[in-house]
Amino acid sequence: MHVRSILDEIITHRPAHLTLIDPVKQSPARASEIAENADKFGTDGFLVGGSSGVYQANLSETVDAVKRVSKKPVIFFPGQDKAYSLSFDAMLYLSLLNSRNVKYVIRSQAESALLLKKLNVEVLSTGYIIVSPGMRAGDVGEVDLIRREDIWVANGYAAAAEMLGFNYLYLECGSGSPVTVPPEMVRAVKKTVDMPVIVGGGIRTAGVARQLIAAGADILVTGTVVERHEYKQRLSEIITAVHSA
Ligand code: 1GP
């Protein structure tokens, strides 16, 4: 499976939805159940990973649990921990552009690049920028958060990401955030760059998903929604809103 072609083909027709499953947040059995339902509701793929607490065992068991119930792409979402599974279809190859720590910008990528190349892992090269409040991703990534009103700063990072040749731009405001990336920031960034824009953090309702899609987001990521006991209706409404935009 060539994940970039699959995603890019989808987003030439309509926006896409990815379901984020953090291995720390539930058992593999529960991850399987979530993935099965998300697949049924029409999600376009899965991101598996989290900021911290991800180890070889919980990561591999969660990827395998998702793979057992869905044929859609399963993509690694790396955090600060060193763990990987060969069952992934691709890896979100993130450079955290507004980190103060060069480790998250390029150094840890340089440490793993030769191995990933040798293993022929498909990487989705992604400029990752974190907007306030940033939550745990902002803390762990030692980020100089982009303030919500600083649209021109976001635009600068976006233009730099495009000129540096990243395939995707990811605007994040942190898992569990009470707010999303401001739609006006997404709109401004989409006017500046001609590249797919992924938006995540704080998306909990179909209405909010619709606003971000109307602003031009190509791919929305939701995670916290599926960590709730009663997630099915919410998830299905969000996916329908993304697809019917
Ligand atoms: C992925 O951090 C997001 O970009 C997920 O955020 O958990 O708030 O949906 P939520």
Side-chain angles (χ1 to χ4, degrees):
M1 152 174 342
H2 190 257
V3 176
R4 189 173 160 209
S5 314
I6 294 172
L7 286 181
D8 289 357
E9 164 67 16
I10 293 172
I11 63 178
T12 55
H13 303 296
R14 58 156 174 81
H17 174 271
L18 296 177
T19 303
L20 171 65
I21 300 185
D22 184 339
V24 174
K25 301 287 174 59
Q26 68 284 295
S27 66
R30 167 94 175 158
S32 230
E33 188 231 284
I34 292 169
E36 196 167 15
N37 284 311
D39 184 309
K40 191 172 79 193
F41 300 146
T43 196
D44 297 293
F46 298 89
L47 291 176
V48 176
S51 301
S52 58
V54 176
Y55 303 109
Q56 207 49 48
N58 60 12
L59 184 66
S60 310
E61 285 168 9
T62 304
V63 184
D64 293 342
V66 174
K67 281 266 165 203
R68 268 198 294 281
V69 295
S70 176
K71 295 210 177 339
K72 295 191 175 149
V74 185
I75 304 161
F76 180 40
F77 192 163
Q80 67 170 355
D81 305 304
K82 288 198 166 36
Y84 191 66
S85 157
L86 289 176
S87 307
F88 281 113
D89 300 305
M91 170 178 185
L92 212 54
Y93 203 50
L94 301 172
S95 174
L96 180 43
L97 300 177
N98 57 331
S99 174
R100 291 181 299 281
N101 189 339
V102 70
K103 165 175 156 189
Y104 297 111
V105 183
I106 188 62
R107 195 163 289 164
S108 61
Q109 294 82 336
E111 284 167 8
S112 60
L114 290 175
L115 182 62
L116 293 172
K117 214 167 150 61
K118 185 102 184 149
L119 294 173
N120 229 352
V121 171
E122 182 188 347
V123 294
L124 307 172
S125 124
T126 304
Y128 191 39
I129 62 178
I130 305 188
V131 177
S132 183
M135 312 304 283
R136 184 135 179 81
D139 292 340
V140 167
E142 299 171 48
V143 169
D144 281 338
L145 297 172
I146 296 181
R147 291 185 307 169
R148 306 178 60 74
E149 61 276 22
D150 278 349
I151 288 181
W152 64 275
V153 177
N155 256 340
Y157 275 105
E162 183 178 53
M163 287 155 78
L164 285 164
F166 289 99
N167 298 135
Y168 299 91
L169 179 76
Y170 196 143
L171 298 175
E172 169 77 87
C173 71
S175 182
S177 167
V179 287
T180 67
V181 171
E184 52 278 23
M185 188 179 277
V186 176
R187 190 169 289 113
V189 158
K190 278 299 288 186
K191 271 198 194 132
T192 302
V193 297
D194 185 20
M195 70 197 291
V197 173
I198 307 171
V199 178
I203 304 165
R204 313 252 185 286
T205 65
V208 163
R210 249 180 244 115
Q211 286 174 13
L212 291 165
I213 294 294
D218 297 284
I219 302 177
L220 292 193
V221 180
T222 60
T224 301
V225 162
V226 297
E227 289 161 17
R228 292 186 179 159
H229 185 66
E230 286 302 326
Y231 64 90
K232 291 184 206 155
Q233 189 174 343
R234 265 299 159 91
L235 181 64
S236 125
E237 287 169 2
I238 291 172
I239 295 172
T240 305
V242 171
H243 287 173
S244 51

